[in-house]
């Protein structure tokens, strides 16, 4: 089903992530009048967000202002606001300031946040990793844990301060756990006088039977072995049942800890519920072959917000999928303008990569499954290539080179009190 052709349609894009930004860039310089709405002024390269959380990079190294990226595209307007609801019948979107924006085409790429599976109270105790604020909060907690341990005279409480629990064994959890292991093993080794940073414990908890479950079993096993070689305690089939200020409870165990990182599960932005389209169990919009919703070919839903099935397989919520969908949606809008017939979206799987530490990674690239230094080199160049902006590419390459040669991490400044303040009662016990 093809939307009626319009000579100069209004295209409204919700979200400046991978799907939304690449859709906007593909529509730049065309006859379409484009408005991109995002509640943040920057595009964030999320695959490297864990490096901000573990003090390897600064936020500005992996984020770029959306206005700056699109400044040469005169047919694109950027609005800093949050979209709340969509009226598909009136073809309008309500913003948080009370205003409405009408559209001829809507590209909904609002992304997802971490899900706590019915326990929202855990968020204050175990921040997830989806935006810059999350990353800075995690970095603050990690570095402060070492600072508190340095002054802690009680051995039991000191060990609790030096225990870091990562919940979720997907790529993010694996990358965070590997980076934390390297911080305690190398970066902080000579910085303290009363503690040995190597005594810190990193525990990775995964509820399913293996970490990196979307990867081939052989790579999951290699990743597990690599993490254990770094000193990470990997516990699979271990579901978290409770979290409080002093411990994580999982599979009948009580793990004393003050620092928990959440990397398990996602939930979609609630705005998609207003589309009136069918949703899957995770709240994602079930889209058709054109990435649109039933009876509304002018409404595209992309990226983490969409449940798209190809060859009986649900596409994962990763950046390559979002990028290809964003380019596809823009192309279909241009097809409508030209009166051409649309074609179904098809994802070209270029593989997946997960880094585990310095010079260590696993790669699943089509029929090739390998790990080690070569996989890490490929990971480095792929991520440098997809970074937005020449400056960011150069700076990140320099930072990585310095870190590789010196084992140091150059963004270890502790700033702010954080969004999740520890209760006074807990602080008083230390």
């Amino acid at each position: 089903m093809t939307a009626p052709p319009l000579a100069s349609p209004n295209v409204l894009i919700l979200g400046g992530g991978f799907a939304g930004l690449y859709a906007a860039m593909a529509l730049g310089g065309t006859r379409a009048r484009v408005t991109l709405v995002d509640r943040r002024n920057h595009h964030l390269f999320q695959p490297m967000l864990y490096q901000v959380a573990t003090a390897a990079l600064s936020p500005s190294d992996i984020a770029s202002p959306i206005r700056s990226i699109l400044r040469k595209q005169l047919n694109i307007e950027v609005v800093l606001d949050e979209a709340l609801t969509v009226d598909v019948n009136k073809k309008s979107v309500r913003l948080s300031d009370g205003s409405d924006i009408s559209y001829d085409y809507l590209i909904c790429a609002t992304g997802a946040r971490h899900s706590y599976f019915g326990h929202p109270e855990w968020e204050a105790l175990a921040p997830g990793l989806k935006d810059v604020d999350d990353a800075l909060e995690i970095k603050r907690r990690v570095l402060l844990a070492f600072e508190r341990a340095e002054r802690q005279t009680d051995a039991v409480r000191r060990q609790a301060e030096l225990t870091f629990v990562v919940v979720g064994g997907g790529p993010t959890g694996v990358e965070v756990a590997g980076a934390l292991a390297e911080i305690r093993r190398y970066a902080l080794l000579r910085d303290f006088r009363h503690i040995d940073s190597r005594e810190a414990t990193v525990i990775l908890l995964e509820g399913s039977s293996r970490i990196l479950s979307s990867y081939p079993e052989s790579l999951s096993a290699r990743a597990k072995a690599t993490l254990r070689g770094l000193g990470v305690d990997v516990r699979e089939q271990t579901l978290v049942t409770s979290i409080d200020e002093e411990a994580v409870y999982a599979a009948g165990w009580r793990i004393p800890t003050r620092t928990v990182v959440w990397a398990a599960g996602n939930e979609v932005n609630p705005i998609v519920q207003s589309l009136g389209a069918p949703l899957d169990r995770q709240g994602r919009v079930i889209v058709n072959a054109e990435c649109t919703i039933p009876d509304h070919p002018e409404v595209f839903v992309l990226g983490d917000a969409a449940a798209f099935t190809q060859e009986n397989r649900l596409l994962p919520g990763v950046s390559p999928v979002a990028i290809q969908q964003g380019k596809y949606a823009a192309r279909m809008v241009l097809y409508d303008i030209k009166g051409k017939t649309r074609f179904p979206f098809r994802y070209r799987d270029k593989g997946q990569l997960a880094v585990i530490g310095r010079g260590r990674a696993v790669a699943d690239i089509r029929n090739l499954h390998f790990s080690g230094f070569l996989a890490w080199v490929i990971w480095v160049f792929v991520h440098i290539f997809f970074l937005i902006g020449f400056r960011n590419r150069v700076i990140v390459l320099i930072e990585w080179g310095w870190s590789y040669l010196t084992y140091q991490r150059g963004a270890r400044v502790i700033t702010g009190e954080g969004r999740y303040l520890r209760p006074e009662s807990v602080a008083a016990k230390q």
Side-chain angles (χ1 to χ4, degrees):
M1 185 175 182
T2 303
L6 296 169
S8 184
N10 291 316
V11 181
L12 178 58
I13 301 174
L14 304 182
F18 286 105
L21 182 65
Y22 276 81
M25 291 192 296
L27 290 169
T30 68
R31 286 184 286 172
R33 292 170 291 169
V34 182
T35 302
L36 190 152
V37 178
D38 197 291
R39 61 196 181 101
R40 293 184 174 84
N41 79 325
H42 56 269
H43 167 77
L44 177 66
F45 192 79
Q46 274 195 341
M48 293 200 301
L49 190 58
Y50 84 95
Q51 297 218 353
V52 175
T54 55
L57 297 173
S58 298
S60 60
D61 297 339
I62 62 168
S64 299
I66 296 174
R67 291 186 183 277
S68 177
I69 297 171
L70 301 175
R71 65 183 182 276
K72 295 182 180 180
Q73 311 301 334
L74 301 183
N75 64 318
I76 300 178
E77 180 180 354
V78 178
V79 174
L80 183 64
D81 208 328
E82 182 175 8
L84 300 180
T85 59
V86 179
D87 189 327
V88 294
N89 296 316
K90 294 182 179 179
K91 293 187 177 182
S92 67
V93 172
R94 173 62 57 89
L95 303 182
S96 63
D97 67 356
S99 64
D100 294 309
I101 298 182
S102 61
Y103 64 83
D104 297 309
Y105 290 92
L106 176 66
I107 296 177
C108 184
T110 47
R113 287 286 294 170
H114 28 267
S115 171
Y116 290 89
F117 306 109
H119 294 277
E121 69 277 10
W122 291 355
E123 183 172 10
L125 304 169
L129 190 57
K130 287 294 184 183
D131 58 33
V132 169
D133 291 334
D134 293 333
L136 293 176
E137 176 62 23
I138 291 170
K139 181 178 77 169
R140 190 187 72 88
R141 292 187 179 203
V142 168
L143 297 178
L144 284 178
F146 285 97
E147 296 292 342
R148 289 192 299 266
E150 172 80 350
R151 302 185 63 185
Q152 181 59 260
T153 57
D154 183 275
V156 174
R157 294 193 178 280
R158 184 191 309 120
Q159 189 55 51
E161 293 289 3
L162 292 177
T163 297
F164 304 92
V165 177
V166 181
V167 182
T172 299
V174 167
E175 290 168 346
V176 170
L180 289 176
E182 290 198 330
I183 285 176
R184 67 160 179 79
R185 193 172 186 178
Y186 301 117
L188 301 180
L189 184 58
R190 298 182 178 86
D191 285 13
F192 295 95
R193 301 293 177 264
H194 303 291
I195 61 171
D196 184 341
S197 64
R198 291 172 297 185
E199 295 178 356
T201 300
V202 181
I203 302 174
L204 177 62
L205 305 179
E206 167 56 37
S208 67
S209 60
R210 60 188 178 95
I211 61 173
L212 296 180
S213 58
S214 64
Y215 286 66
E217 289 190 25
S218 61
L219 290 183
S220 294
R222 292 179 197 175
K224 181 178 179 179
T226 301
L227 285 170
R228 286 183 167 174
L230 289 170
V232 177
D233 183 357
V234 181
R235 303 184 186 181
E236 296 163 325
Q237 293 184 312
T238 306
L239 286 173
V240 172
T241 56
S242 181
I243 302 175
D244 61 30
E245 294 89 349
E246 297 186 346
V248 170
Y249 301 82
W253 292 331
R254 180 182 183 274
I255 307 172
T257 180
R258 304 290 190 269
T259 309
V260 185
V261 178
W262 189 265
N266 295 313
E267 62 181 13
V268 179
N269 190 307
I271 191 175
V272 301
Q273 298 174 10
S274 64
L275 295 173
L279 307 176
D280 69 359
R281 289 187 299 176
Q282 295 185 23
R284 295 171 297 190
V285 177
I286 301 175
V287 296
N288 57 32
E290 296 178 358
C291 297
T292 57
I293 63 176
D295 302 321
H296 290 279
E298 77 282 2
V299 178
F300 296 87
V301 183
L302 313 176
D304 290 340
F308 186 95
T309 302
Q310 179 175 298
E311 298 176 351
N312 298 318
R313 171 175 169 260
L314 189 66
L315 294 185
V318 294
S319 56
V321 173
I323 290 171
Q324 291 184 35
Q325 287 182 336
K327 292 179 179 179
Y328 167 84
R331 190 173 182 184
M332 293 306 99
V333 171
L334 297 178
Y335 266 41
D336 286 353
I337 293 175
K338 299 174 182 178
K340 299 172 67 174
T341 303
R342 294 184 183 183
F343 58 86
F345 171 72
R346 184 168 184 80
Y347 173 57
R348 296 181 180 179
D349 191 351
K350 299 180 180 179
Q352 50 187 345
L353 298 158
V355 68
I356 308 172
R358 180 180 181 272
R360 304 174 180 91
V362 291
D364 173 23
I365 303 176
R366 298 184 180 178
N367 295 323
L368 298 176
H369 306 152
F370 54 97
S371 61
F373 184 76
L374 176 59
W376 180 79
V377 170
I378 294 174
W379 180 91
V380 167
F381 282 99
V382 166
H383 284 69
I384 289 292
F385 176 80
F386 280 104
L387 267 175
I388 300 293
F390 178 78
R391 170 196 172 276
N392 286 3
R393 292 173 184 152
V394 172
I395 289 178
V396 169
L397 193 58
I398 292 173
E399 289 284 355
W400 279 349
W402 174 257
S403 177
Y404 187 86
L405 293 173
T406 66
Y407 291 89
Q408 295 299 307
R409 290 176 176 257
R412 282 164 36 204
V413 175
I414 302 173
T415 58
E417 295 183 347
R419 295 179 296 170
Y420 309 117
L421 297 179
R422 293 168 53 78
E424 293 296 328
S425 60
V426 177
K429 292 179 182 179
Q430 298 181 2

